[in-house]
Each structure stands twice: as C-alpha cells, then as structure tokens.
Amino acid sequence: MFKKKCLIIEDSEIAIVTLSMQLEKLSMYDISVARNYNQAKSCLSNDTYDLIFLDIKLHESSGLDLVSEFPKLPPVIVTSSNVEFAIDTYEINSVMDFIKKPVTEDRLIKAIDKALNRQQTSNSIVENNFVFIKTGRHVMKFDFEKLDYINAYGIYSKIYSDNKSTIVNESIATLEEALPNQIFRRVHKSYIINIKKVTGYDHKNIFINEVVIPIGFSYKKNVSEYIQFI
C-alpha cells in the first residue's frame, strides 16, 4: 500500500515519540523527523512531503520562519504548548490547523482530516480504499474491499468485515455521509451495504452470502437505481 510522507519538525524527544506513535497507529505515513531548524531546511530542500507537523519553538529559532522561507509547503499542522501562538498562524495559507500540546488522538485525527481535505467525521478518516474509525479508545483500519455491511447499533454501528463484527464510535447516519456512495449504499434505516459484496436479491431482501439484509420501504426507489429488482 502506498503511504504518504510526513515530516515532524520538533525539538522535544517526548513530543516526537508521542506524535510518531500516534501516526504509526494509522499506518498511513512514512515518518521523517527534523530536530532543529537546519535539519528541517535540509529535509524541505531535498525531499517532498504530503503533511508537516511543525513545532513553533525550535530552540532559538521559530518554526514559522520555515513557512516564510519555503512558501510552497504542503499542508502544515502547527503544534505548541502555548495557545497564544495560535494567532500567529491564522493568516498563513499553508497552516491548516493548530494543536495545543500534548497532542491527543482525537485532536490529531481531526487535524489530519482538515489538513488533507478528506471527508470528515468526528471519529474517522476516509481514504480512497480504506477508512480509519475509532473503536472505543483505539483507531482501526477497515479496507473497503473487505467490508461487507454495516448495522446500526444504537448511537454506534457494527461493521462486518472479515467474518467478524466490530462496534465503532460512529452512527450509521454519519458513516453513510462519510463513506463513498459508489461502493456503500443505505438500504434500510439500520443497514448500509457494500454493493460489490451483493450475491443475490429479491424484492424484499439483499443477500451477502448467507446474510439476509432487509430493504427498507423508503429506500426501495434508491436501491432500484443500482440493482435491477424483479
């Protein structure tokens, strides 16, 4: 799987370890680290990145000077323990978000969503072929090709993938909006299906192997747009 390239510009080893561990959980990025201003300049001069995490205070230098020196940067997420620095980033085009240290998992996901202009939900990151969704206090990756269907579970949802179910921290309505509709369709108030996994159908139900999924009355017209019913 192709991974995006991420550069962490940070002089605190604790902050580097914390942020790197959180990013590694997402399995989306090849991570590089610059620990001072000169290392950052070298990285930015000799390589390209998809996302940058930038600490404002780099020893005696300001991380924001890098933004001025390199005007064509990819999306930048600024980090600092001092929220007063946030105002200095508001009018910088390449800066997409500001996170107060310590960086939490929830806040990191929201910042990445915003920076990379992905479809955004409160607990998920949607990519071209997969989605990361919070399950309890953890984040799990679900490949679209392996995801069979989704069942409403109160304010949460159950995702059925690889012959097992996982409860995730999103409602079925939120997932319906976030997931690509060329692959996933709502067929009932309680069900979203992966249309590529459909193995049969009739005028009342859709079948995914041995699983029978009812078609809601109000969804029949929409369903008929992509499946020809008898």
Side-chain angles (χ1 to χ4, degrees):
M1 182 189 72
F2 175 77
K3 288 188 176 183
K4 289 179 168 57
K5 296 176 68 174
C6 171
L7 176 64
I8 299 173
I9 303 173
E10 173 64 67
D11 60 3
S12 165
E13 286 299 324
I14 293 177
I16 290 170
V17 171
T18 300
L19 183 55
S20 295
M21 288 178 64
Q22 290 172 332
L23 289 170
E24 285 169 0
K25 287 182 182 179
L26 299 179
S27 302
M28 292 171 62
Y29 296 101
D30 284 326
I31 303 168
S32 300
V33 177
R35 290 175 168 81
N36 57 52
Y37 194 93
N38 288 333
Q39 285 183 11
K41 283 180 62 177
S42 177
C43 289
L44 295 173
S45 297
N46 295 295
D47 209 343
T48 58
Y49 301 91
D50 299 290
L51 181 64
I52 295 174
F53 287 89
L54 176 64
D55 182 22
I56 286 186
K57 290 187 67 66
L58 297 170
H59 298 296
E60 300 302 319
S61 303
S62 168
L64 294 183
D65 289 341
L66 284 167
V67 180
S68 300
E69 192 168 346
F70 295 87
K72 294 184 179 181
L73 290 177
V76 176
I77 297 173
V78 172
T79 62
S80 177
S81 56
N82 190 339
V83 294
E84 293 181 0
F85 287 138
I87 195 169
D88 297 329
T89 69
Y90 289 161
E91 296 184 2
I92 302 175
N93 290 333
S94 59
V95 175
M96 300 292 108
D97 207 349
F98 177 97
I99 305 179
K100 183 180 183 300
K101 295 179 183 177
V103 179
T104 65
E105 193 173 83
D106 286 347
R107 188 65 184 86
L108 176 64
I109 289 174
K110 291 177 182 178
I112 293 174
D113 282 337
K114 184 176 180 181
L116 300 183
N117 294 315
R118 293 199 179 95
Q119 293 167 281
Q120 184 173 356
T121 67
S122 60
N123 293 299
S124 66
I125 296 174
V126 180
E127 263 286 3
N128 290 332
N129 300 306
F130 55 87
V131 60
F132 286 96
I133 308 178
K134 285 206 70 179
T135 62
R137 296 184 178 181
H138 304 285
V139 176
M140 282 188 64
K141 176 184 174 184
F142 297 91
D143 291 316
F144 291 161
E145 64 180 16
K146 296 180 180 179
L147 201 161
D148 296 328
Y149 65 98
I150 301 168
N151 185 201
Y153 192 68
I155 62 172
Y156 304 112
S157 301
K158 280 186 179 180
I159 291 181
Y160 290 81
S161 178
D162 285 339
N163 296 314
K164 63 182 180 181
S165 65
T166 305
I167 298 174
V168 300
N169 298 12
E170 294 282 16
S171 69
I172 195 167
T174 301
L175 290 176
E176 180 187 14
E177 292 184 6
L179 294 171
N181 66 5
Q182 70 269 28
I183 302 174
F184 298 96
R185 293 296 181 98
R186 187 89 170 262
V187 297
H188 186 279
K189 67 178 181 179
S190 298
Y191 288 95
I192 293 172
I193 64 165
N194 182 339
I195 60 177
K196 296 181 179 181
K197 294 301 186 85
V198 173
T199 56
Y201 60 86
D202 59 28
H203 65 288
K204 290 184 179 180
N205 302 296
I206 288 174
F207 303 93
I208 297 179
N209 296 319
E210 301 301 318
V211 178
V212 181
I213 297 174
I215 302 171
F217 179 79
S218 61
Y219 293 91
K220 284 189 176 183
K221 183 178 179 180
N222 290 334
V223 169
S224 66
E225 292 177 359
Y226 54 90
I227 296 181
Q228 297 300 313
F229 281 92
I230 56 174

